[in-house]
Amino acid sequence: MPGVKRKQTPVGESAISKGFKKSKLATNGTTKSKAAAIDQETVTDSDPLEESNTTEHSGDDDGISGPSENGEGGVEADLPIREPKPSAWALASRVEENGAPKGAETSKSSREAHAKQKTVVLERKAAKPNADSIARSKKLWERLRRKSHVPREERKALVAELFEIVTGRVKEFVLKHDSVRVIQTALKYANPDQKKMIAKELKGEYRGLAESKYAKFLIGKVLVHGDEETRDIIVPELYGHVRRLIKHPEASWILDDIYRGSATPSQKALLLREWYGAEFAIFKSDGGPSPSADLKSLLAQHPEKRTPILRSLHDLINQLVQKKTTGFTMLHDAMLQYYLNVLPDSEEGKELVELLKGDEEGDLLKNLAFTKSGARLVCLALAHGNAKDRKQILKTYKNTMKTLAFDAHGHHVILVAYDVIDDTVLTSKSIFPELFPKELKAEGQHELIMSYITSTNARIPLLYPFTGKAKAYLPQEDMDILSEIHAIRTTTSKKDPETRRKELTTALSPSLLPFVAANAEKLIQTSFGCQFTCEILLGAEGTKSDALQAIARLASSSDPTVQKSLLSPAASRMLKSLVLGGRFNRETKLVDYADPPLGFNDILYTKIKNDIVEWATGPNAFVVVGLTESPGFTSLGELKVKLKLGKEDLERCVRKDDGTTSAGKVKAGGNRDELQKLEKAGRQGTKILLGKLDT
């Protein structure tokens, strides 16, 4: 290279090195004589290389071979050889004789090359169909998508112009990643007629759009912004193609979205029936008033089709599981239908359970737990499984318990694990440390427990060991699943259910009793908190004195917020249950007392005995009634004496019809109309107290 003096190489080494390069450059058509001539020429040229001129090359030094006069390959000295274009790295590495880099020349050529490339790209875009329309629509989209920066009138004008462009040409816009966003924005701001126009223009193309990487999102937008007529245009176009689409990498997701969120029950049934075989993709109805995907009824009508239907269903399930696409609601519904129609102890049933356990990453079981059908399938697998199966399934949900607790379906898995796993130590160690992480300090744990209590789903796994199947806390769906599991449990579990429940409450109590003691004031402010406090104090195992004292102190508090909270019906019911020392059983019409007795009656009475008449004539009159009926209440005689001394106040409260309020202290901070409503309810308790005094 110019300006760089290389170290001289011995003649022999140079000749051998250059001879090797020359022989490599010769093509397959080079004759032995020409190769020998090249080698001879190389050997004689033994001058050391001090500098080279990169602007001139001889034919022998070029690696390009061309045709010779005799038809053989090779490089002829008299043929002009074009120098190959040097790479960017080679250009950057060249230097001038004076040592200065050729940066200016390289930079100039690079800018020219980029400018030329941009020109070519623009020319190609301009040559495409609808180039001008797409370019203009993208300009409008750039403005429209900034919702908060566009005035209403300007947006209307932009949308009108956008629809002038896309009307009649929607199909030409939807298959490109940029222009399909224009259509989505048009749908977002369109009026109902414009939305329906877009949906109708795409009629007949929805199956193809579902398979498109970009257009599949448009189907979701059309369904979200459309009506029932739009839905009935889209869904039927998927009939007959479900088995293909559910395996497609793009279409599977939009198909499952439609199945889960948009399709009607009859449309869902038609889509799911196609999993049972090609016959169901062709014949849409089985003669009934509406199509059904219930496999049990189909097999009852056609028992001879049992084998091909189950084989078709299993094959498709297995394909999706092996592909790791296990998050589809449709897949979970199909798996449940399969499991419900095979015997758990049969080879078919065992094979499906092994399929569940065989997923090393556990994604299948985790995904199943968050859908209705999937959670039921996991619960059935736990109920029918042996101890080893249950342990493996429970282990799969490690680091997922908190998420399961908050989910509408996921908490079913926790409840069933409580009910069917005989090893309560395993259950406690697998579930409770995740619900109450030890790495959190007491304050952090209390905040987490409070979030459980205020959630309609997450509070159930905390309350269930203490309450059992209480209708007050369990939705009907939970009751149905637990009833089904309890019927199976009689043949698959050995431990007595009551023993199992007590062992779980013993493990759970140390985390909950300190929480109640430290957060009593917050708990009484909500109905969920009052219910939780009552159930924990009645059912927990261990020392409860701190928590009971914390609740009793609130009754004598002068804080208006606390007093207002105690006036609520939920707080009144909580205090009455704690005073009685048990829950009222609606079936037996008796109170199921806690063992050992709480003794809250004496604790509370010491706090409110100076204001007992105000309590007896206010919204919490039934709490005083509870004191008179509570077994083991040591101050019953003193209470009756105080009530007799205030009998006139009690009678006045019962006769009162002017809407005024009594018992001023406990009414602090309350709304007048609300207090009148609460007093009216409490007045019934006052009547009962008067009746007890007269006897």
Side-chain angles (χ1 to χ4, degrees):
M1 297 176 68
V4 178
K5 190 167 180 118
R6 298 183 184 175
K7 183 179 179 181
Q8 291 188 2
T9 308
V11 175
E13 291 183 16
S14 175
I16 294 171
S17 176
K18 291 184 179 179
F20 175 77
K21 293 180 180 178
K22 294 296 182 177
S23 61
K24 291 288 284 182
L25 291 174
T27 62
N28 293 334
T30 306
T31 60
K32 293 182 179 179
S33 58
K34 289 190 176 182
I38 293 172
D39 289 342
Q40 183 64 30
E41 179 183 351
T42 304
V43 172
T44 57
D45 185 14
S46 60
D47 294 336
L49 179 60
E50 294 186 358
E51 71 178 27
S52 61
N53 187 352
T54 58
T55 60
E56 294 181 4
H57 294 272
S58 66
D60 292 335
D61 290 331
D62 202 326
I64 302 174
S65 62
S68 62
E69 292 181 357
N70 58 3
E72 295 179 354
V75 179
E76 299 296 337
D78 57 345
L79 291 177
I81 304 300
R82 186 175 63 183
E83 178 185 3
K85 184 177 179 180
S87 65
W89 178 86
L91 288 171
S93 64
R94 292 180 183 176
V95 294
E96 299 287 357
E97 292 182 0
N98 59 3
K102 289 187 175 181
E105 179 181 347
T106 304
S107 176
K108 181 179 179 181
S109 61
S110 178
R111 285 197 301 270
E112 291 175 352
H114 284 303
K116 187 175 181 180
Q117 288 177 353
K118 289 182 180 180
T119 304
V120 172
V121 169
L122 292 175
E123 290 175 353
R124 288 176 180 173
K125 285 185 177 181
K128 291 181 179 180
N130 303 313
D132 295 338
S133 300
I134 292 176
R136 177 56 185 162
S137 65
K138 286 167 67 176
K139 295 283 187 183
L140 297 173
W141 171 72
E142 283 289 345
R143 181 65 179 154
L144 278 171
R145 71 190 184 96
R146 303 181 67 196
K147 181 177 180 180
S148 60
H149 297 76
V150 182
R152 183 186 297 268
E153 295 302 322
E154 182 184 354
R155 186 184 302 118
K156 287 182 179 179
L158 293 173
V159 171
E161 183 180 354
L162 184 58
F163 268 93
E164 289 178 3
I165 296 173
V166 302
T167 301
R169 292 186 290 183
V170 175
K171 294 180 183 179
E172 300 170 4
F173 278 70
V174 296
L175 295 177
K176 299 177 182 178
H177 74 94
D178 50 358
S179 56
V180 71
R181 298 184 183 184
V182 174
I183 304 299
Q184 292 181 34
T185 303
L187 274 168
K188 182 177 180 180
Y189 295 112
N191 58 46
D193 292 336
Q194 291 171 329
K195 293 174 182 177
K196 196 166 294 185
M197 178 272 294
I198 291 178
K200 289 182 177 179
E201 274 201 36
L202 294 173
K203 187 175 182 180
E205 303 291 335
Y206 286 107
R207 184 178 69 84
L209 296 179
E211 297 177 351
S212 170
K213 185 176 181 180
Y214 307 110
K216 65 180 180 182
F217 299 110
L218 178 63
I219 299 179
K221 281 284 187 180
V222 172
L223 287 168
V224 168
H225 295 288
D227 53 12
E228 294 180 358
E229 182 182 354
T230 302
R231 179 198 62 205
D232 293 339
I233 291 174
I234 296 174
V235 177
E237 292 193 19
L238 307 179
Y239 295 159
H241 308 285
V242 172
R243 294 180 69 89
R244 166 193 168 94
L245 295 176
I246 197 63
K247 294 182 286 187
H248 193 279
E250 307 295 342
S252 55
W253 296 102
I254 191 63
L255 172 63
D256 193 66
D257 285 345
I258 293 172
Y259 176 84
R260 182 180 66 252
S262 302
T264 63
S266 60
Q267 290 172 338
K268 291 176 67 173
L270 288 173
L271 292 172
L272 187 58
R273 282 164 62 97
E274 295 191 26
W275 286 61
Y276 303 155
E279 172 187 348
F280 296 93
I282 300 172
F283 303 104
K284 300 293 187 296
S285 175
D286 51 7
S290 60
S292 172
D294 182 28
L295 186 55
K296 185 176 182 179
S297 61
L298 287 175
L299 295 178
Q301 294 176 9
H302 307 286
E304 73 282 358
K305 297 180 181 179
R306 174 184 174 82
T307 301
I309 287 176
L310 290 179
R311 184 188 303 116
S312 174
L313 188 54
H314 179 272
D315 289 346
L316 187 52
I317 290 171
N318 189 53
Q319 288 180 42
L320 294 179
V321 172
Q322 298 307 322
K323 290 174 64 178
K324 306 293 183 183
T325 51
T326 57
F328 300 137
T329 302
M330 187 181 289
L331 170 64
H332 302 170
D333 288 352
M335 294 180 74
L336 178 63
Q337 289 295 327
Y338 183 89
Y339 193 73
L340 290 175
N341 288 278
V342 298
L343 295 175
D345 295 333
S346 66
E347 289 299 322
E348 296 163 328
K350 292 179 180 178
E351 189 176 354
L352 184 63
V353 173
E354 289 301 321
L355 191 66
L356 296 178
K357 299 189 301 179
D359 186 5
E360 297 179 358
E361 299 176 357
D363 290 341
L364 175 56
L365 279 168
K366 290 176 182 176
N367 287 327
L368 283 168
F370 296 100
T371 62
K372 182 178 179 180
S373 296
R376 186 182 174 194
L377 175 60
V378 176
C379 293
L380 290 172
L382 280 169
H384 286 294
N386 54 38
K388 185 177 179 181
D389 293 337
R390 293 167 178 170
K391 181 178 180 179
Q392 187 171 347
I393 291 173
L394 195 61
K395 184 179 178 181
T396 305
Y397 291 107
K398 186 178 181 180
N399 300 325
T400 317
M401 293 299 174
K402 190 189 302 183
T403 310
L404 289 176
F406 280 99
D407 188 74
H409 308 295
H411 75 271
H412 296 162
V413 177
I414 298 179
L415 301 187
V416 173
Y418 288 161
D419 278 347
V420 302
I421 297 178
D422 292 336
D423 187 356
T424 53
V425 175
L426 171 65
T427 308
S428 302
K429 289 183 177 180
S430 300
I431 298 176
F432 299 152
E434 291 192 30
L435 295 181
F436 317 111
K438 292 182 179 179
E439 59 269 17
L440 290 179
K441 295 182 180 180
E443 184 178 352
Q445 279 202 8
H446 292 175
E447 289 180 2
L448 183 59
I449 296 173
M450 189 65 74
S451 69
Y452 293 146
I453 295 171
T454 54
S455 168
T456 54
N457 297 319
R459 70 181 188 139
I460 295 175
L462 269 61
L463 289 173
Y464 182 68
F466 300 97
T467 63
K469 290 176 59 180
K471 293 182 179 180
Y473 306 118
L474 295 178
Q476 188 59 43
E477 183 181 341
D478 293 35
M479 297 288 288
D480 294 340
I481 287 181
L482 291 173
S483 298
E484 182 180 17
I485 297 303
H486 289 174
I488 299 170
R489 181 180 64 179
T490 57
T491 59
T492 60
S493 294
K494 300 177 181 179
K495 183 172 286 189
D496 177 63
E498 184 62 21
T499 303
R500 182 190 294 108
R501 187 191 68 81
K502 286 187 176 180
E503 290 176 353
L504 289 173
T505 56
T506 301
L508 193 54
S509 297
S511 298
L512 299 181
L513 286 174
F515 166 77
V516 174
N519 297 272
E521 184 175 339
K522 292 181 180 179
L523 288 171
I524 66 167
Q525 294 176 6
T526 63
S527 60
F528 280 8
C530 291
Q531 291 172 345
F532 180 83
T533 302
C534 181
E535 298 299 342
I536 297 305
L537 291 178
L538 290 175
E541 301 288 337
T543 304
K544 308 173 186 177
S545 57
D546 291 344
L548 293 173
Q549 289 288 349
I551 298 296
R553 281 195 295 271
L554 297 176
S556 59
S557 173
S558 59
D559 187 343
T561 303
V562 173
Q563 289 298 314
K564 183 179 178 181
S565 299
L566 287 173
L567 293 176
S568 68
S572 180
R573 287 192 295 268
M574 176 195 72
L575 292 173
K576 182 183 177 183
S577 295
L578 294 178
V579 163
L580 286 171
R583 308 180 189 89
F584 180 75
N585 191 321
R586 294 181 180 275
E587 295 180 359
T588 62
K589 306 298 182 182
L590 298 173
V591 176
D592 297 331
Y593 294 105
D595 185 23
L598 287 181
F600 184 69
N601 42 20
D602 290 323
I603 297 174
L604 180 65
Y605 182 71
T606 59
K607 303 293 182 182
I608 66 172
K609 62 182 180 180
N610 295 330
D611 302 316
I612 197 65
V613 175
E614 295 179 359
W615 279 69
T617 57
N620 288 324
F622 276 103
V623 177
V624 183
V625 173
L627 284 173
T628 63
E629 298 174 350
S630 175
F633 179 41
T634 59
S635 302
L636 180 59
E638 181 184 348
L639 171 62
K640 287 186 175 181
V641 170
K642 288 181 177 291
L643 291 177
K644 287 180 179 179
L645 293 175
K647 186 175 181 180
E648 292 183 2
D649 292 332
L650 271 66
E651 292 174 343
R652 190 182 304 112
C653 175
V654 172
R655 292 194 306 268
K656 185 168 49 181
D657 57 2
D658 58 359
T660 59
T661 60
S662 62
K665 181 178 178 181
V666 296
K667 307 301 183 296
N671 177 274
R672 181 181 179 83
D673 294 336
E674 182 181 354
L675 290 176
Q676 289 177 357
K677 184 178 180 181
L678 292 172
E679 274 204 340
K680 184 177 180 180
R683 204 167 294 142
Q684 300 299 321
T686 307
K687 289 181 180 179
I688 295 174
L689 288 173
L690 282 173
K692 289 180 178 292
L693 293 177
D694 293 337
T695 57

